[in-house]
Amino acid sequence: DSVCFPETMNRTLVINAPRFFSLTWNIIKGWIDPRTAGKIELISSRKNWEARLRELVDVDQLPSDYGGKGMATTETLAKEAPEGVLKQHHELVHVRQSGHATVDIPNGGSMNVTVFTRSTTAVIISVVDDNNKSKVYSPGVSVKHTGGTGENDKPTSVVITKERVKGPLKARIKIESKGGRFSTAGNYMVACDIH
């Protein structure tokens, strides 16, 4: 198999793994090729995983929030964010019949919502007040993947909010499937930019 499907993984570290997952991992790794399983490390203790990361990554390149001296991941993400965006919230929502994501918008803040998917099942997405569901900020927008199904084809992206939703507000992004009762709608990446 390694001739047709060469292994390209060098090492994977799972950090902040709950302690119970170590027990689960001991069961799972019995089904994985021993060479592959040997390249995966689970480390629960922050002190231990910081030390292990410093062994594998140059301390100047390792983000400070992972025990290094490099730029913190929050700073890196903020640098890459569109102009005026103070915070970004991304959440993968799995939808069978319905699903949702909730986001807090601070006082004086506002939010744009974009959803990405490869699901070909149509859904209706709306933004409502989580505390008063009858208060609708963005009425139902139909979302369905319209692109190709190839590995390199990009997912469909749809802007849900025509205007920014203003805070303070705990916003609920509701996703309701238009598929059959026994079908699964799929996965939807909800991306919120908070200004």
Side-chain angles (χ1 to χ4, degrees):
D1 282 342
S2 63
V3 173
C4 295
F5 304 101
E7 189 170 325
T8 57
M9 181 176 69
N10 183 11
R11 175 148 324 272
T12 297
L13 272 69
V14 179
I15 60 173
N16 280 343
R19 293 196 188 277
F20 76 87
F21 188 71
S22 296
L23 298 171
T24 307
W25 172 243
N26 286 332
I27 295 168
I28 294 170
K29 73 178 179 182
W31 294 324
I32 299 175
D33 180 275
R35 186 176 64 186
T36 302
K39 295 179 179 183
I40 301 172
E41 296 179 44
L42 270 67
I43 308 171
S44 298
S45 161
R46 182 176 184 101
K47 181 181 174 185
N48 292 342
W49 62 254
E50 280 185 356
R52 184 66 175 128
L53 284 173
R54 284 192 297 269
E55 289 174 17
L56 298 171
V57 180
D58 183 18
V59 74
D60 293 334
Q61 298 299 314
L62 189 62
S64 60
D65 45 338
Y66 288 89
K69 294 181 181 178
M71 186 183 297
T73 53
T74 53
E75 291 176 47
T76 303
L77 291 172
K79 248 172 78 173
E80 300 295 323
E83 188 174 326
V85 172
L86 304 174
K87 181 179 174 186
Q88 293 182 308
H89 175 88
H90 297 90
E91 188 171 334
L92 183 63
V93 180
H94 177 73
V95 176
R96 188 173 187 115
Q97 285 297 312
S98 65
H100 72 274
T102 55
V103 179
D104 288 316
I105 307 171
N107 190 16
S110 61
M111 175 184 74
N112 291 336
V113 179
T114 304
V115 173
F116 299 84
T117 189
R118 289 180 183 271
S119 176
T120 56
T121 301
V123 295
I124 300 296
I125 302 177
S126 55
V127 180
V128 300
D129 185 331
D130 193 44
N131 297 317
N132 179 4
K133 310 235 182 343
S134 64
K135 205 169 195 180
V136 179
Y137 293 94
S138 182
V141 175
S142 183
V143 176
K144 178 180 179 179
H145 182 54
T146 55
T149 56
E151 190 176 298
N152 294 322
D153 292 321
K154 292 185 177 184
T156 295
S157 69
V158 178
V159 176
I160 305 303
T161 49
K162 298 206 184 319
E163 295 177 1
R164 290 185 189 163
V165 178
K166 297 186 184 335
L169 174 70
K170 184 169 189 174
R172 176 181 285 245
I173 296 97
K174 292 185 352 181
I175 306 172
E176 297 173 342
S177 173
K178 293 298 165 193
R181 185 175 181 182
F182 299 105
S183 67
T184 298
N187 294 315
Y188 299 82
M189 176 58 74
V190 177
C192 305
D193 288 338
I194 299 172
H195 299 262

